[in-house]
């Protein structure tokens, strides 16, 4: 319904509209444009501008398309938490933009002597998974377990180190501190977040964001991590195959010489 490439060209306000729609699809189909604008805390102009970028002529055409997309067996719509996941995979089905990001991240991995992963809370566990799966492909990778570990007193040279930071919000203090410290000492940095406009995205060298509505239970962030797990698997697999291809090319050149 919303092409991957076009979603990543949205500005901050338009992204709010996008997140509201995919997080409230059933409600939106019965709303007026004014009701939706009030609920999403944006203007009707912003909604119309968003819809124009998504190739809809207006709100009526969009609502018709939305209702058509929701005409599925009742069982498929029982769990609203599946909507952001389904939407993510619909977005990456437009393969080229997502594949380009995966390829760039894989190149950064293979250019490094050491890959470090960092996250806090549930994201910390996903970061450990990322380090584990990359290591299983024979690429030297370690997780940073303690988010409160103090910085070394003396400077370090991390010019051949890549730090991959996992954060749903991209605003967690400990994650931002790690990003700044490693960048200051020469490391390359990648952010994996659910928020394209986060501070983390702005201070890292490269980012992959999947932009889904955040789901909180009190102070706990329980937003799905499925897109990040999928992204980590794709990055690791791509880095491995690039590494193998490079080794095969070197071997062929050596034999030819």
């Amino acid at each position: 319904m919303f092409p991957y490439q076009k979603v990543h060209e949205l500005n901050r306000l338009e992204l709010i509209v996008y997140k509201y729609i995919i997080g409230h699809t059933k409600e939106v189909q019965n709303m007026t444009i004014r009701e939706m604008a009030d609920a999403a805390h944006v203007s009707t102009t912003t909604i119309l501008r968003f819809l124009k970028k998504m190739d809809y002529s207006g709100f009526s055409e969009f609502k018709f398309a939305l209702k058509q997309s929701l005409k599925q067996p009742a069982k498929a719509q029982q769990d609203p938490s599946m909507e952001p996941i389904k939407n993510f995979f619909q977005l990456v089905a437009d393969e080229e933009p997502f594949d380009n990001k995966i390829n760039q991240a894989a190149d950064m991995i293979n250019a490094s002597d050491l890959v470090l992963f960092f996250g806090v809370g549930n994201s910390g566990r996903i970061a450990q998974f990322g380090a584990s799966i990359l290591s299983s492909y024979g690429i030297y990778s370690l997780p940073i377990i303690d988010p409160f570990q103090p910085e070394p007193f003396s400077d370090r040279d991390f010019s051949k180190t890549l730090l991959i930071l996992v954060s749903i919000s991209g605003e967690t203090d400990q994650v931002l501190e790690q990003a700044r410290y490693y960048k200051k000492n020469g490391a390359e940095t990648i952010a994996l977040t659910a928020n394209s406009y986060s501070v983390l995205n702005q201070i890292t060298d490269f980012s992959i964001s999947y932009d889904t509505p955040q789901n909180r239970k009190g102070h706990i962030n329980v937003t799905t991590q499925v897109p990040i797990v999928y992204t980590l698997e794709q990055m690791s697999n791509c880095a491995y195959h690039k590494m193998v291809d490079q080794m095969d090319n070197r071997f062929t050149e050596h034999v030819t010489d």
Side-chain angles (χ1 to χ4, degrees):
M1 205 173 175
F2 301 127
Y4 179 87
Q5 181 61 48
K6 291 183 179 181
V7 169
H8 283 268
E9 293 172 354
L10 299 175
N11 63 33
R12 183 185 291 271
L13 288 176
E14 293 160 354
L15 193 58
I16 290 173
V17 176
Y18 163 75
K19 288 185 178 182
Y20 185 83
I21 291 171
I22 65 171
H24 304 83
T25 51
K26 290 184 181 179
E27 296 93 329
V28 169
Q29 67 176 327
N30 297 314
M31 284 181 171
T32 65
I33 189 171
R34 169 54 60 191
E35 289 170 340
M36 182 180 158
D38 291 342
H41 306 293
V42 297
S43 68
T44 56
T45 302
T46 299
I47 294 174
L48 292 172
R49 188 169 62 243
F50 163 79
L51 294 176
K52 185 177 180 180
K53 287 188 176 182
M54 296 297 124
D55 294 328
Y56 292 102
S57 60
F59 194 67
S60 296
E61 181 188 354
F62 160 70
K63 282 184 64 175
F64 176 79
L66 179 63
K67 289 177 180 179
Q68 292 297 111
S69 70
L70 292 175
K71 286 183 178 178
Q72 300 174 19
K75 185 178 179 181
Q77 298 185 40
Q78 284 179 356
D79 185 1
S81 67
M82 288 298 296
E83 195 64 30
I85 300 172
K86 183 180 70 174
N87 194 72
F88 168 76
F89 284 108
Q90 287 174 342
L91 292 178
V92 300
D94 181 9
E95 293 181 359
E96 186 176 352
F98 183 75
D99 283 352
N100 288 343
K101 283 182 171 287
I102 293 297
N103 272 288
Q104 187 170 340
D107 288 337
M108 293 174 72
I109 289 171
N110 288 338
S112 305
D113 289 340
L114 169 64
V115 182
L116 296 175
F117 282 82
F118 181 75
V120 176
N122 288 336
S123 294
R125 287 178 276 277
I126 299 299
Q128 291 179 48
F129 166 78
S132 176
I133 192 171
L134 200 58
S135 295
S136 70
Y137 279 109
I139 299 172
Y140 190 38
S141 178
L142 297 170
I144 301 173
I145 304 296
D146 183 3
F148 301 103
Q149 179 176 314
E151 296 178 3
F153 285 113
S154 57
D155 290 339
R156 295 288 188 272
D157 180 11
F158 292 121
S159 56
K160 294 293 289 182
T161 298
L162 172 66
L163 177 65
I164 299 178
L165 302 125
V166 180
S167 175
I168 292 173
S169 68
E171 307 285 348
T172 307
D173 289 341
Q174 293 90 345
V175 175
L176 298 176
E177 287 171 7
Q178 291 286 344
R180 292 185 177 108
Y181 170 73
Y182 277 89
K183 272 184 65 68
K184 182 181 70 174
N185 288 281
E188 293 282 296
T189 52
I190 295 177
L192 302 180
T193 76
N195 181 5
S196 294
Y197 289 95
S198 68
V199 174
L200 184 63
N201 285 46
Q202 296 172 32
I203 66 174
T204 49
D205 299 296
F206 183 66
S207 64
I208 301 179
S209 301
Y210 55 95
D211 291 312
T212 63
Q214 292 193 42
N215 182 13
R216 290 185 174 273
K217 304 296 183 185
H219 67 284
I220 302 173
N221 195 329
V222 293
T223 304
T224 179
Q225 298 267 17
V226 170
I228 285 186
V229 171
Y230 176 79
T231 300
L232 288 169
E233 290 178 343
Q234 293 299 305
M235 285 168 48
S236 301
N237 184 59
C238 184
Y240 169 75
H241 285 290
K242 281 176 173 283
M243 180 177 62
V244 170
D245 290 344
Q246 189 177 35
M247 292 171 64
D248 288 344
N249 290 338
R250 287 176 181 173
F251 177 76
T252 302
E253 291 172 2
H254 177 72
V255 171
T256 303
D257 292 343

